[in-house]
Structures are given as structure tokens and as C-alpha cells.
């Protein structure tokens, strides 16, 4: 057998997923020496806080069950003795290890142990399988579990799995897999143990914090935990990411029901908080469109800027384009002037008010500035050239609802959108109509571009539910 000589197989039940903020409700430890169980120990523990209803339903552990249970401080010596001089074994091990380490630290005791993660061990030994959660392992090996989602029941399953692995592989193969499963993951040096492992592997938004309550960075992902851990992979960190990692002291997250919800939430939160390390999606107050203004003066600038940010698209009339800077608009106008022989002076991109424009002298302008064509003809050609450069037409007759559902968490969300404006997200479909009645239409170019990309996919368009007015 190539297993370490002394193992402590551990499983915890907790009030939530955050090892600093949440608390332990049940502990089970199997002490293994030379491949034999020498002690089985478990206890409920009073967390000193309310157990959320979703957690009570999931584990079956209620507030009433722990009301008379001892606090962790009364169990600490017994737990310490069981873990002493042993390899700490758990499924998603850094999560359980982080909870115990933080519980001991609150007592002023420093707990450290080598850690073996059975999720990583399963991946190393059985790379052909895609699922390595405890339910998948139970199903794969036909293991018995008397009480799933209770500490001793889950600890028993882990030991059954390890015993089967030890019997099924040569010692050298098992040793290599164990070395891989015990490798400490890369993480910011100031981040408490177990925080990353406690994050859900589901859609949502995550927040990196330093010493204060202003986020350093806000990101989104379809799989929060995997994405956050990838930030700190040693082989991927560049100078900027390494600097950010040194500043991180806290990680928080907010789950969504799907990818669109994560995209919309990230865009809104970045604009609100303006994190130091976010370069994209920051609010820009100067986004504008262009409108052709009727003028019979041959050398007049016939384009006026129309502010778009936070305006209501339903009130726009003959507005073309959406630009963040004057340079961006001028570049487009120069391109159109060249293609359609438009007058740069009349477009406001060439100074001067006397004589023909330079483009006319180079035969690149049809000559409105020199009296060679009418202002009506020039401006009609300008409007036609700009027509394809505006905000895309809204594909539906009115507002739409985009539903999302995460089967793993059971979370549902309904996103209310109209005229490229993100209006609201509701948890039930019944609330969408009420949200529409008080919705504020405010155009945002980043939301617009996000939605254009999203609805480019046929599957996403087919998921839309138009709202009858």
C-alpha cells in the first residue's frame, strides 16, 4: 500500500461556503494508521449563528439540532488530537482544511497539516472520467453511504474510495497521484485558507478586495471557482496580475442563473465601483451619436453631436452611430468622405470657410463647397452613407424577457431588456411585468455591444420571450 502511514479523513458540515465568515455545524474524523481505522469520531457543534434554510434543507442539520451541541472551542482538543501528525484528507480538501484552520485561529491556535484532496486524487487516477464529485464517485464504484451530506456518512465514503484506489493501482502509480493531489494550489499570500475552494463552480460575478471595501477587480465566469483559481496559476500570472494578487485580502462572489446574468451584472458593477484593475466596461459619459442638420449654407457643418449615454433610445430620431470619442467619429467620417465623395469641410473634419475644400481640389469631393452640387444632394448622400453605421435596429417589436436557469443550484432569473437597454433582473417570471412598469431606459454602449454579441447566437435568440404590451 502506498498510502501515507497516518491519515485523518475529515468531513465538515457548515453554515455556508465562506471559511472566515461561516461556521462549522458538524465534524467527523476517521483516524487511519497503516491502512486500518483506529478511531471514528463525530459530533455536532453549535455554530453560534443561524443556519440558513437552504443549508438546513441540504444537510438536514437544523438550528434545533445544534442548540445544545458543544461549541467548537469545547471540541478543539479532541479534534486536534485526531489530526495530529497525520495527512489531512478531504474532498475538495482546502475547503474543510480552511474551516478548521480558521476555527483554530479564532482560538489563537495555529493549525497546519499536509493536505490530500480526494477530488484531485480521483482526477489523477481516473482522467477518463469528467465528474469527480462525491456523488459521481459513489455511483462509479458502487460505494455505500448511510447518510449523504452528513459528516460521518461522507467521511466513510472517502475512506472506501481511498481503499479501493490503494488496492487497484501499483504503488508507484498511486504515489505519483498522491503527490499530485497534495500539491498546494497557487493563491494570493494574504488570502485565508479555503476561500477559493469554497467558491461555487457555477455562473456569477466575483470580487477581489484589498485592505478596504473598494473592490480591486470585478470579473465574471460561467464557473466562478475555476476562473478565480486560474487568476493565480503561477504559469499564467503576468506582472500586473502578480501585483494584484499581492494586494488581495478577501474574495467575495454573487451567483447568477446563467452566463447572460453574469455578463450584465459584471458590466453594471464595474461601472458603479470603478475597480482599479478593471480596464474595460468603465463608465464613459461622452458617448454620442450624429444627426444631420438641414442647412443651405454650403460650408456649414451639418452634423451635430447627440449625447447617448443614459438617454432613452425610444426618443432618438435620425441618430447615427455611437462613438466614445471625437477621434472615433472623425475616423468614420473620413472613411465615408472618401467612399462617397463627401465634403470634409461640411462634415466638420476639415477647417476653413473660404474657397473649395482640399478634397475637391484632389477630386475626392463632389464639390458642394465649390457650388458644383446642391446641399440637398450632398446631405442626402451623407444620410445614406450613415444609415448603415447606426445602432442596430431592435429585432423585436417591444420589450423581451430572457429566462435563465441553473440546474445545479436551482436558481432562476428573468432578464428584462428593451431597445438594447438592460432594465431589470427578476427571480420570478411573475415579477417581470411589474418591473417593466417602473423601468428606466438608459442607453449604455457596453451593454449594447454585449447584447449584440449575445443575440448573434441563434440559440440565444430562440430563448427570448417577447412581452405583450
Amino acid at each position: 500500500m502506498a498510502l501515507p502511514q497516518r491519515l485523518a479523513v475529515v468531513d465538515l458540515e457548515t453554515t455556508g461556503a465562506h471559511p472566515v465568515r461561516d461556521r462549522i455545524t458538524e465534524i467527523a474524523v476517521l483516524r487511519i494508521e497503516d491502512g486500518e481505522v483506529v478511531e471514528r469520531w463525530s459530533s455536532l457543534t453549535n455554530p453560534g449563528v443561524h443556519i440558513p434554510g437552504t443549508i438546513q434543507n441540504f444537510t438536514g442539520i437544523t438550528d434545533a439540532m445544534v442548540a445544545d451541541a458543544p461549541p467548537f472551542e469545547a471540541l478543539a482538543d479532541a479534534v486536534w488530537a485526531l489530526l495530529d501528525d497525520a495527512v489531512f484528507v478531504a474532498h475538495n480538501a482546502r475547503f474543510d482544511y480552511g474551516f478548521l484552520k480558521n476555527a483554530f485561529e479564532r482560538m489563537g491556535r495555529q493549525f497546519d497539516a499536509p493536505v490530500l484532496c480526494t477530488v484531485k486524487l480521483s482526477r489523477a487516477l481516473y482522467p477518463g472520467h469528467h465528474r469527480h464529485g462525491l456523488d459521481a464517485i459513489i455511483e462509479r464504484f458502487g460505494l455505500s453511504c448511510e447518510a449523504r451530506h452528513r459528516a460521518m456518512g461522507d467521511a466513510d465514503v472517502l475512506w472506501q474510495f481511498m481503499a479501493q484506489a490503494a488496492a487497484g493501482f501499483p504503488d508507484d502509480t498511486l504515489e505519483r497521484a498522491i503527490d499530485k493531489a497534495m500539491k498546494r494550489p497557487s493563491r494570493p499570500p494574504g488570502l485565508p485558507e479555503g476561500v477559493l475552494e469554497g467558491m461555487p463552480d457555477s455562473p456569477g460575478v466575483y470580487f477581489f478586495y484589498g485592505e478596504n471595501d473598494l473592490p480591486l477587480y470585478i470579473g465574471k465566469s460561467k464557473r466562478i471557482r475555476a476562473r478565480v483559481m486560474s487568476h493565480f496559476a503561477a504559469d499564467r500570472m503576468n506582472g500586473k496580475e502578480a501585483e494584484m494578487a499581492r494586494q488581495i485580502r478577501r474574495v467575495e462572489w454573487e451567483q447568477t442563473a446563467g452566463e447572460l446574468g453574469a455578463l450584465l451584472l459584471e458590466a453594471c458593477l464595474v461601472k458603479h465601483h470603478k475597480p482599479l484593475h478593471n480596464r474595460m466596461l468603465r463608465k464613459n459619459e461622452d458617448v454620442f451619436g450624429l444627426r444631420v442638420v438641414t442647412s443651405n449654407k454650403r460650408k456649414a457643418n451639418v452634423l451635430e453631436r447627440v449625447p447617448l449615454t443614459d438617454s432613452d433610445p425610444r426618443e432618438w430620431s435620425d441618430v447615427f452611430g455611437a462613438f466614445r470619442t471625437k477621434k472615433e467619429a472623425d475616423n468614420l467620417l473620413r472613411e465615408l468622405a472618401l467612399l462617397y465623395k463627401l465634403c470634409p469641410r461640411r462634415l466638420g473634419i476639415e477647417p476653413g470657410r473660404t474657397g473649395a475644400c482640399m478634397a475637391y481640389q484632389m477630386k475626392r469631393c463632389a464639390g458642394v463647397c465649390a457650388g458644383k452640387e446642391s446641399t440637398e444632394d450632398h446631405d442626402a448622400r451623407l444620410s445614406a452613407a450613415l444609415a448603415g453605421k447606426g445602432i442596430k435596429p431592435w429585432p423585436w417589436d417591444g420589450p423581451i424577457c430572457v429566462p435563465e436557469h441553473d440546474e445545479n443550484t436551482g436558481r432562476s432569473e428573468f432578464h428584462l431588456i428593451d431597445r438594447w437597454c438592460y432594465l431589470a433582473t427578476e427571480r420570478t417570471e411573475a415579477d417581470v411585468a411589474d418591473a417593466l412598469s417602473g423601468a428606466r431606459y438608459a442607453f449604455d454602449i457596453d451593454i449594447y455591444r454585449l447584447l449584440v454579441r449575445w443575440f448573434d447566437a441563434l440559440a440565444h435568440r430562440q430563448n427570448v420571450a417577447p412581452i405583450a404590451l
Side-chain angles (χ1 to χ4, degrees), residues 27 40 52 67 83 147 149 212 220 257 259 267-269 292 309 317 376 387 399 413 415-416 421 432 458 466 468:
I27 310 171
R40 296 170 55 88
L83 301 178
H149 301 304
N212 56 42
K220 53 81 181 53
E259 183 181 7
C268 294
L269 290 174
V292 179
T309 299
S317 176
E376 292 80 7
E413 290 176 340
H415 309 298
L416 179 59
C421 292
V432 172
L458 177 61

Side-chain angles (χ1 to χ4, degrees), residues 423-440:
L423 304 179
T425 291
E426 301 295 336
R427 295 299 302 274
T428 68
E429 194 170 8
D431 292 330
V432 172
D434 290 339
L436 182 61
S437 64
R440 175 177 175 267

Side-chain angles (χ1 to χ4, degrees), residues 78-335:
V79 174
W80 188 282
L82 287 163
L83 301 178
D84 185 45
D85 196 28
V87 174
F88 186 102
V89 180
H91 212 59
N92 195 22
R94 291 282 166 184
F95 174 82
D96 299 80
Y97 180 74
F99 263 91
L100 282 174
K101 186 174 180 66
N102 281 282
F104 280 121
E105 284 182 356
R106 284 190 286 271
M107 299 174 59
R109 301 172 69 171
Q110 186 65 39
F111 171 68
D112 288 292
V115 178
L116 194 165
C117 177
T118 48
V119 174
K120 294 181 179 179
L121 183 63
S122 178
R123 287 174 179 156
L125 291 173
Y126 306 97
H129 292 273
H130 297 292
R131 297 169 58 233
H132 300 276
L134 208 51
D135 287 326
I137 287 176
I138 291 171
E139 180 181 350
R140 187 187 311 158
F141 297 104
L143 306 180
S144 61
C145 183
E146 294 184 2
R148 182 73 176 97
H149 301 304
R150 292 296 301 270
M152 184 54 77
D154 289 352
D156 276 331
V157 168
L158 293 183
W159 174 235
Q160 292 176 54
F161 163 66
M162 293 194 70
Q164 286 208 17
F169 289 90
D171 285 357
D172 60 341
T173 301
L174 189 60
E175 286 172 2
R176 286 195 299 271
I178 288 173
D179 286 343
K180 190 173 183 178
M182 293 182 70
K183 184 177 180 181
R184 185 183 180 92
S186 300
R187 69 179 64 246
L191 197 63
E193 285 277 1
V195 170
L196 300 185
E197 290 76 12
M199 300 184 75
D201 221 16
S202 57
V205 172
Y206 55 91
F207 310 79
F208 295 157
Y209 291 92
E211 299 289 355
N212 56 42
D213 290 332
L214 297 176
L216 296 169
Y217 181 82
I218 298 174
K220 53 81 181 53
S221 179
K222 291 187 289 185
R223 299 177 58 198
I224 301 175
R225 186 200 309 154
R227 178 68 186 98
V228 169
M229 286 186 164
S230 75
H231 274 282
F232 312 121
D235 59 339
R236 295 186 184 180
M237 274 204 290
N238 57 34
K240 291 181 180 179
E241 287 185 323
E243 175 59 29
M244 180 175 69
R246 284 191 288 271
Q247 299 175 42
I248 293 173
R249 299 294 181 271
R250 180 163 58 97
V251 177
E252 302 290 345
W253 58 89
E254 185 172 340
Q255 290 176 266
T256 61
E259 183 181 7
L260 179 59
L263 288 165
L264 293 169
L265 182 59
E266 179 203 31
C268 294
L269 290 174
V270 168
K271 291 177 187 300
H272 177 73
H273 293 288
K274 300 181 178 64
L276 176 65
H277 290 276
N278 283 92
R279 293 290 178 261
M280 305 297 290
L281 298 176
R282 289 189 176 185
K283 192 166 186 178
N284 188 327
E285 301 287 354
D286 298 326
V287 174
F288 63 92
L290 297 173
R291 178 185 287 129
V292 179
V293 181
T294 301
S295 173
N296 293 324
K297 297 180 180 179
R298 295 184 180 279
K299 299 178 180 63
N301 181 356
V302 294
L303 289 173
E304 67 173 358
R305 290 171 56 158
V306 181
L308 298 184
T309 299
D310 289 339
S311 66
D312 187 342
R314 297 174 300 177
E315 299 175 356
W316 295 350
S317 176
D318 299 324
V319 176
F320 302 102
F323 309 98
R324 289 185 182 273
T325 64
K326 182 178 185 299
K327 181 179 179 181
E328 186 179 337
D330 287 353
N331 286 342
L332 173 64
L333 292 174
R334 288 190 182 95
E335 178 184 339

